[in-house]
Amino acid sequence: MKIAIGCDHGGFEWKEAVRGYLEENGIDYEDFGAFSTESVDYAPIAVKAARTVAEGKADYGILICSTGLGVSMASNKVKGIRAAVCTNTFCAEMTRRHNNANVLCMGGKVVDRETALQMVDIFLHTAFDGGRHQRRIDQIAQIEDGTL
Ligand code: RB5
């Protein structure tokens, strides 16, 4: 498994915590920055990580800004990306099971460290349920194609 991680200054602290989680668990990753708490724009970082996932060079993305909202908006513009802003472990589980989300977004000023790492653990280890949910995510893809 390989993970594309990225953040802006608002998500730097939790991105470093996620990086630590990945290293401790022997999970390969590519870090698209930011590399400090210096103010930086989130969209160029989010899109690089999202494209890495969309191109199949990473299995999942984890993106963190202050709220999780900006990185989710930016990464959801990439075809094939289903980025979900999660604030608790239930959402992290359900967005894998029902939405087959491939990018987990969160807010460094929204969730605490323990919740952030629990969400990552659940997100990376929960399978898509398929079935009727496949039809529903196919419909999301149709929106991208302009056929829905
Ligand atoms: C940066 O101040 C903040 O706007 C950013 O981290 C993010 O929350 C945007 O959605």
Side-chain angles (χ1 to χ4, degrees):
M1 187 189 292
K2 184 168 180 181
I3 313 300
I5 59 174
C7 67
D8 71 357
H9 48 286
F12 176 72
E13 199 178 341
W14 282 184
K15 190 265 286 178
E16 288 299 289
V18 169
R19 204 166 61 77
Y21 163 93
L22 296 173
E23 288 196 352
E24 278 166 26
N25 288 279
I27 300 172
D28 192 16
Y29 66 89
E30 186 170 355
D31 186 351
F32 291 88
F35 300 105
S36 76
T37 54
E38 190 180 331
S39 183
V40 65
D41 298 333
Y42 55 79
I45 292 168
V47 78
K48 278 182 206 152
R51 284 185 180 136
T52 300
V53 174
E55 290 164 7
K57 295 173 187 159
D59 298 285
Y60 299 112
I62 299 172
L63 293 172
I64 313 169
C65 59
S66 296
T67 58
L69 301 173
V71 289
S72 71
M73 289 180 187
S75 53
N76 272 320
K77 295 291 182 191
V78 176
K79 188 172 161 63
I81 291 300
R82 291 176 302 279
V85 186
C86 294
T87 55
N88 56 54
T89 54
F90 176 70
C91 290
E93 177 186 343
M94 295 308 285
T95 201
R96 285 289 311 126
R97 290 182 54 193
H98 286 194
N99 312 125
N100 200 15
N102 48 16
V103 175
L104 170 65
C105 299
M106 67 179 98
K109 293 183 179 167
V110 178
V111 294
D112 62 26
R113 187 181 193 278
E114 187 186 1
T115 303
L117 296 182
Q118 284 175 347
M119 290 197 303
V120 167
D121 190 57
I122 286 170
F123 187 87
L124 298 185
H125 297 103
T126 301
F128 177 45
D129 282 355
R132 68 188 184 281
H133 302 294
Q134 182 63 55
R135 180 179 71 248
R136 293 166 182 167
I137 65 166
D138 286 345
Q139 290 165 345
I140 295 174
Q142 282 184 274
I143 298 170
E144 284 177 340
D145 295 340
T147 56
L148 179 66

